[in-house]
Structure formats: C-alpha cells, structure tokens
Amino acid sequence: MQKTSQRDCSCANEAGLSPSIFNEDPGVGAGRGWRIPLNFSLSLLSLAIVLGGCGADAPQPASQAETKPAEPVVPEEIQSAAKSLLGSESQVLAFGDLAKNGKQEFLAANIVPKTPTNNLPGTIVTRVVVVENSDGKWAEVLRCDEHLKNPKGFLGMTPLAPIAGWRLQYEQSSEKGLQLYFTALKGTTDSHVLPIGVRWNPETKRYQSLDRTYEHFLPESPAMQDARSTLR
C-alpha cells in the first residue's frame, strides 16, 4: 500500500474545515476577526496532533516468538521395543542412524523424575540402552545399569562397585555419531567424578568407552573382576 504523506492527510481534511474560521469577517474589526474561542482552539490542537501522526508509519506488532520445532514422533515399533527392554516407564531419547553406520538405532532410558529429594542437575537415569535394528530384529548394543557393558563385556573405566544412578549427557555429531557421557552418582549426592565417554568404534564395530582425552578407545573386560576402574 502506498504510504500516505503528511501533506496528503492535511489536504484531505482541509475540505471539512470552514474557511470563515481563518478569514477576517468584513463586518468585524481586525482584532476581533482573528479571535477564536478557547474550546475551538483546543479542538484545533487535537486535530493538529492527529494530522501530525497521519504520515508516520504505523507501529509494527511485536514479532511472535520463534516456535520450537515439534519433536519427531517416535515410531510405535521403537516404543514397543523400548518398553520390552526397560519397562513401561522407558523414554526414547533419540532414534535414527545414531552411529552413522547405516543402521537404525534408538537410545532409551529410565529417567528419575525431579523431586525435592532428587534436585541434581542434568538427566539422572538408572538404566540406559542403545538398541540396533539388525535384519529386522532389535538387539542391544550398549547397556548401562549398575555397570557399563556391551555384548563383549564390561567397558573400560566402569566402576567396580555397582552404581545405582548416573547422570546422562549425549550429543549427536554428524561425523562421529552418538556421543554419550555417563557420570556415576553416589546415592542422592554428586560424586564429582569425571564422566565416562562412550561412542561407536567403526574399527571394532561396537560401542566402547574412551580414555580421559575422549579420543582413544579402551578394550572391554569379559569379567567384572578383571575390569579396571580408573574413576577419579
């Protein structure tokens, strides 16, 4: 729409004003001819304010807050597989080609709800699984409960003592795939230990833990008594 200028607004409204207001009355002296009643002066002042704003741009409405993209709907097949492994309270946190190996996987967990007795920061879990679809069947490729383990055994750096709860952090890298970080907790207090990093090793074709630089993979131990716990 073409913007109306201040001059256009003034011209449009001039037709509604009586010319005799601004012209001298021939039968009245010059001093009285220009005398305007007080009420009418106030009316003119209001009109001038209205006309003054006529050419100004109308205020723009506040931009709406950006809407957060809707979370992808978890397929029923994945929901069912998660419940069969972790029970009805399981939550699917991520799914897709998580390991960047061309296979469909999902990450699910039993999350401890926030309560006055559980006010620890982050996502607190008791059990976590990464499950892979191989030839149409879902199979665990990583499990976290009291320990960290994969089908080959216990992951390096898993604590020797059973762990009742973990703080879970995870992120998806376009290059390395799903990266998981598990921090062992002691009771309802933060243990202040460093997180254990876990991700897919394309050479061994399984999830393994990483050393403290989070760059080199550590081997598994087939038995818990042989596992070396280096949590500090």
Side-chain angles (χ1 to χ4, degrees), residues 188-209:
T188 58
T189 62
D190 195 334
S191 59
H192 297 289
V193 297
L194 294 174
I196 302 170
V198 178
R199 63 180 169 85
W200 179 262
N201 185 347
E203 294 185 3
T204 61
K205 298 187 181 341
R206 58 182 179 266
Y207 282 92
Q208 291 182 305
S209 57

mmCIF file of all heavy atoms in Angstrom, residues 188-209:
data_model
loop_
_atom_site.group_PDB
_atom_site.id
_atom_site.type_symbol
_atom_site.label_atom_id
_atom_site.label_comp_id
_atom_site.label_asym_id
_atom_site.label_seq_id
_atom_site.Cartn_x
_atom_site.Cartn_y
_atom_site.Cartn_z
ATOM 1 N N THR A 188 22.152 -39.846 46.657
ATOM 2 C CA THR A 188 21.493 -38.626 46.169
ATOM 3 C C THR A 188 22.452 -37.450 46.119
ATOM 4 O O THR A 188 22.041 -36.297 46.081
ATOM 5 C CB THR A 188 20.314 -38.274 47.092
ATOM 6 O OG1 THR A 188 20.803 -38.101 48.432
ATOM 7 C CG2 THR A 188 19.243 -39.342 47.054
ATOM 8 N N THR A 189 23.758 -37.732 46.148
ATOM 9 C CA THR A 189 24.753 -36.659 46.095
ATOM 10 C C THR A 189 25.585 -36.789 44.837
ATOM 11 O O THR A 189 25.709 -37.861 44.252
ATOM 12 C CB THR A 189 25.684 -36.715 47.327
ATOM 13 O OG1 THR A 189 26.393 -37.965 47.323
ATOM 14 C CG2 THR A 189 24.903 -36.583 48.613
ATOM 15 N N ASP A 190 26.151 -35.684 44.420
ATOM 16 C CA ASP A 190 27.004 -35.664 43.240
ATOM 17 C C ASP A 190 28.388 -36.172 43.641
ATOM 18 O O ASP A 190 28.996 -35.693 44.601
ATOM 19 C CB ASP A 190 27.104 -34.237 42.700
ATOM 20 C CG ASP A 190 27.663 -34.198 41.297
ATOM 21 O OD1 ASP A 190 28.401 -35.128 40.935
ATOM 22 O OD2 ASP A 190 27.344 -33.247 40.570
ATOM 23 N N SER A 191 28.890 -37.156 42.888
ATOM 24 C CA SER A 191 30.167 -37.757 43.259
ATOM 25 C C SER A 191 31.363 -36.954 42.753
ATOM 26 O O SER A 191 32.492 -37.214 43.135
ATOM 27 C CB SER A 191 30.253 -39.188 42.697
ATOM 28 O OG SER A 191 30.127 -39.155 41.291
ATOM 29 N N HIS A 192 31.128 -35.976 41.878
ATOM 30 C CA HIS A 192 32.183 -35.112 41.353
ATOM 31 C C HIS A 192 33.280 -35.893 40.631
ATOM 32 O O HIS A 192 34.433 -35.497 40.643
ATOM 33 C CB HIS A 192 32.804 -34.271 42.475
ATOM 34 C CG HIS A 192 31.839 -33.334 43.122
ATOM 35 N ND1 HIS A 192 31.330 -32.204 42.498
ATOM 36 C CD2 HIS A 192 31.251 -33.373 44.342
ATOM 37 C CE1 HIS A 192 30.497 -31.593 43.298
ATOM 38 N NE2 HIS A 192 30.418 -32.272 44.426
ATOM 39 N N VAL A 193 32.926 -36.984 39.989
ATOM 40 C CA VAL A 193 33.901 -37.716 39.183
ATOM 41 C C VAL A 193 33.746 -37.284 37.736
ATOM 42 O O VAL A 193 32.734 -36.713 37.334
ATOM 43 C CB VAL A 193 33.694 -39.246 39.307
ATOM 44 C CG1 VAL A 193 33.918 -39.699 40.734
ATOM 45 C CG2 VAL A 193 32.307 -39.645 38.828
ATOM 46 N N LEU A 194 34.773 -37.554 36.961
ATOM 47 C CA LEU A 194 34.716 -37.206 35.548
ATOM 48 C C LEU A 194 33.799 -38.164 34.799
ATOM 49 O O LEU A 194 33.739 -39.355 35.118
ATOM 50 C CB LEU A 194 36.121 -37.249 34.949
ATOM 51 C CG LEU A 194 37.112 -36.202 35.470
ATOM 52 C CD1 LEU A 194 38.498 -36.454 34.888
ATOM 53 C CD2 LEU A 194 36.640 -34.804 35.126
ATOM 54 N N PRO A 195 33.090 -37.678 33.802
ATOM 55 C CA PRO A 195 32.203 -38.562 33.043
ATOM 56 C C PRO A 195 32.974 -39.561 32.198
ATOM 57 O O PRO A 195 34.106 -39.304 31.765
ATOM 58 C CB PRO A 195 31.387 -37.600 32.184
ATOM 59 C CG PRO A 195 32.165 -36.332 32.147
ATOM 60 C CD PRO A 195 32.982 -36.273 33.380
ATOM 61 N N ILE A 196 32.354 -40.707 31.964
ATOM 62 C CA ILE A 196 32.911 -41.735 31.088
ATOM 63 C C ILE A 196 32.323 -41.519 29.699
ATOM 64 O O ILE A 196 31.107 -41.530 29.528
ATOM 65 C CB ILE A 196 32.563 -43.144 31.600
ATOM 66 C CG1 ILE A 196 33.081 -43.337 33.035
ATOM 67 C CG2 ILE A 196 33.130 -44.214 30.682
ATOM 68 C CD1 ILE A 196 32.579 -44.607 33.687
ATOM 69 N N GLY A 197 33.189 -41.324 28.722
ATOM 70 C CA GLY A 197 32.738 -41.113 27.356
ATOM 71 C C GLY A 197 32.575 -42.435 26.618
ATOM 72 O O GLY A 197 33.414 -43.333 26.748
ATOM 73 N N VAL A 198 31.497 -42.561 25.862
ATOM 74 C CA VAL A 198 31.215 -43.786 25.099
ATOM 75 C C VAL A 198 30.714 -43.394 23.717
ATOM 76 O O VAL A 198 29.858 -42.511 23.599
ATOM 77 C CB VAL A 198 30.154 -44.665 25.802
ATOM 78 C CG1 VAL A 198 29.848 -45.899 24.957
ATOM 79 C CG2 VAL A 198 30.619 -45.074 27.190
ATOM 80 N N ARG A 199 31.257 -44.031 22.671
ATOM 81 C CA ARG A 199 30.715 -43.853 21.332
ATOM 82 C C ARG A 199 31.063 -45.049 20.454
ATOM 83 O O ARG A 199 31.826 -45.927 20.855
ATOM 84 C CB ARG A 199 31.181 -42.542 20.704
ATOM 85 C CG ARG A 199 32.656 -42.383 20.455
ATOM 86 C CD ARG A 199 32.915 -41.008 19.819
ATOM 87 N NE ARG A 199 34.314 -40.661 19.781
ATOM 88 C CZ ARG A 199 35.168 -41.029 18.822
ATOM 89 N NH1 ARG A 199 34.739 -41.770 17.809
ATOM 90 N NH2 ARG A 199 36.441 -40.662 18.869
ATOM 91 N N TRP A 200 30.515 -45.049 19.265
ATOM 92 C CA TRP A 200 30.690 -46.157 18.324
ATOM 93 C C TRP A 200 32.126 -46.165 17.784
ATOM 94 O O TRP A 200 32.642 -45.138 17.347
ATOM 95 C CB TRP A 200 29.696 -46.019 17.182
ATOM 96 C CG TRP A 200 29.794 -47.087 16.125
ATOM 97 C CD1 TRP A 200 30.437 -47.006 14.929
ATOM 98 C CD2 TRP A 200 29.209 -48.389 16.177
ATOM 99 N NE1 TRP A 200 30.302 -48.169 14.229
ATOM 100 C CE2 TRP A 200 29.540 -49.037 14.968
ATOM 101 C CE3 TRP A 200 28.429 -49.064 17.117
ATOM 102 C CZ2 TRP A 200 29.124 -50.333 14.672
ATOM 103 C CZ3 TRP A 200 28.015 -50.349 16.823
ATOM 104 C CH2 TRP A 200 28.361 -50.978 15.621
ATOM 105 N N ASN A 201 32.762 -47.352 17.844
ATOM 106 C CA ASN A 201 34.093 -47.524 17.276
ATOM 107 C C ASN A 201 33.935 -48.191 15.910
ATOM 108 O O ASN A 201 33.582 -49.368 15.818
ATOM 109 C CB ASN A 201 34.948 -48.397 18.200
ATOM 110 C CG ASN A 201 36.389 -48.523 17.714
ATOM 111 O OD1 ASN A 201 36.708 -48.162 16.579
ATOM 112 N ND2 ASN A 201 37.261 -49.039 18.578
ATOM 113 N N PRO A 202 34.178 -47.471 14.824
ATOM 114 C CA PRO A 202 33.979 -48.059 13.495
ATOM 115 C C PRO A 202 34.929 -49.218 13.188
ATOM 116 O O PRO A 202 34.631 -50.041 12.322
ATOM 117 C CB PRO A 202 34.220 -46.878 12.552
ATOM 118 C CG PRO A 202 35.017 -45.902 13.335
ATOM 119 C CD PRO A 202 34.617 -46.080 14.764
ATOM 120 N N GLU A 203 36.051 -49.310 13.910
ATOM 121 C CA GLU A 203 37.002 -50.395 13.661
ATOM 122 C C GLU A 203 36.536 -51.705 14.287
ATOM 123 O O GLU A 203 36.590 -52.761 13.655
ATOM 124 C CB GLU A 203 38.386 -50.006 14.181
ATOM 125 C CG GLU A 203 39.018 -48.837 13.422
ATOM 126 C CD GLU A 203 40.435 -48.559 13.886
ATOM 127 O OE1 GLU A 203 40.949 -49.308 14.764
ATOM 128 O OE2 GLU A 203 41.030 -47.584 13.393
ATOM 129 N N THR A 204 36.080 -51.647 15.529
ATOM 130 C CA THR A 204 35.601 -52.860 16.198
ATOM 131 C C THR A 204 34.114 -53.094 15.954
ATOM 132 O O THR A 204 33.595 -54.166 16.279
ATOM 133 C CB THR A 204 35.855 -52.774 17.705
ATOM 134 O OG1 THR A 204 35.132 -51.636 18.236
ATOM 135 C CG2 THR A 204 37.341 -52.589 18.002
ATOM 136 N N LYS A 205 33.436 -52.042 15.414
ATOM 137 C CA LYS A 205 32.001 -52.104 15.127
ATOM 138 C C LYS A 205 31.160 -52.380 16.377
ATOM 139 O O LYS A 205 30.263 -53.214 16.390
ATOM 140 C CB LYS A 205 31.705 -53.152 14.047
ATOM 141 C CG LYS A 205 32.361 -52.847 12.707
ATOM 142 C CD LYS A 205 31.918 -53.800 11.641
ATOM 143 C CE LYS A 205 32.566 -53.563 10.292
ATOM 144 N NZ LYS A 205 33.178 -52.289 10.022
ATOM 145 N N ARG A 206 31.465 -51.631 17.412
ATOM 146 C CA ARG A 206 30.667 -51.693 18.640
ATOM 147 C C ARG A 206 30.931 -50.430 19.465
ATOM 148 O O ARG A 206 31.904 -49.702 19.237
ATOM 149 C CB ARG A 206 30.977 -52.958 19.454
ATOM 150 C CG ARG A 206 32.421 -53.126 19.875
ATOM 151 C CD ARG A 206 32.597 -54.439 20.636
ATOM 152 N NE ARG A 206 33.982 -54.668 21.054
ATOM 153 C CZ ARG A 206 34.862 -55.361 20.366
ATOM 154 N NH1 ARG A 206 34.525 -55.892 19.191
ATOM 155 N NH2 ARG A 206 36.101 -55.536 20.829
ATOM 156 N N TYR A 207 30.049 -50.192 20.436
ATOM 157 C CA TYR A 207 30.238 -49.060 21.336
ATOM 158 C C TYR A 207 31.292 -49.407 22.381
ATOM 159 O O TYR A 207 31.226 -50.464 23.018
ATOM 160 C CB TYR A 207 28.913 -48.702 22.032
ATOM 161 C CG TYR A 207 27.960 -47.933 21.147
ATOM 162 C CD1 TYR A 207 27.005 -48.597 20.381
ATOM 163 C CD2 TYR A 207 28.006 -46.536 21.081
ATOM 164 C CE1 TYR A 207 26.123 -47.895 19.567
ATOM 165 C CE2 TYR A 207 27.131 -45.834 20.269
ATOM 166 C CZ TYR A 207 26.201 -46.509 19.507
ATOM 167 O OH TYR A 207 25.345 -45.812 18.695
ATOM 168 N N GLN A 208 32.244 -48.491 22.558
ATOM 169 C CA GLN A 208 33.295 -48.677 23.555
ATOM 170 C C GLN A 208 33.529 -47.373 24.306
ATOM 171 O O GLN A 208 33.205 -46.281 23.817
ATOM 172 C CB GLN A 208 34.599 -49.125 22.882
ATOM 173 C CG GLN A 208 34.549 -50.536 22.297
ATOM 174 C CD GLN A 208 35.870 -50.947 21.675
ATOM 175 O OE1 GLN A 208 36.407 -50.266 20.810
ATOM 176 N NE2 GLN A 208 36.408 -52.069 22.137
ATOM 177 N N SER A 209 34.116 -47.492 25.499
ATOM 178 C CA SER A 209 34.439 -46.307 26.285
ATOM 179 C C SER A 209 35.737 -45.687 25.785
ATOM 180 O O SER A 209 36.515 -46.322 25.066
ATOM 181 C CB SER A 209 34.544 -46.662 27.766
ATOM 182 O OG SER A 209 35.509 -47.682 27.965
#
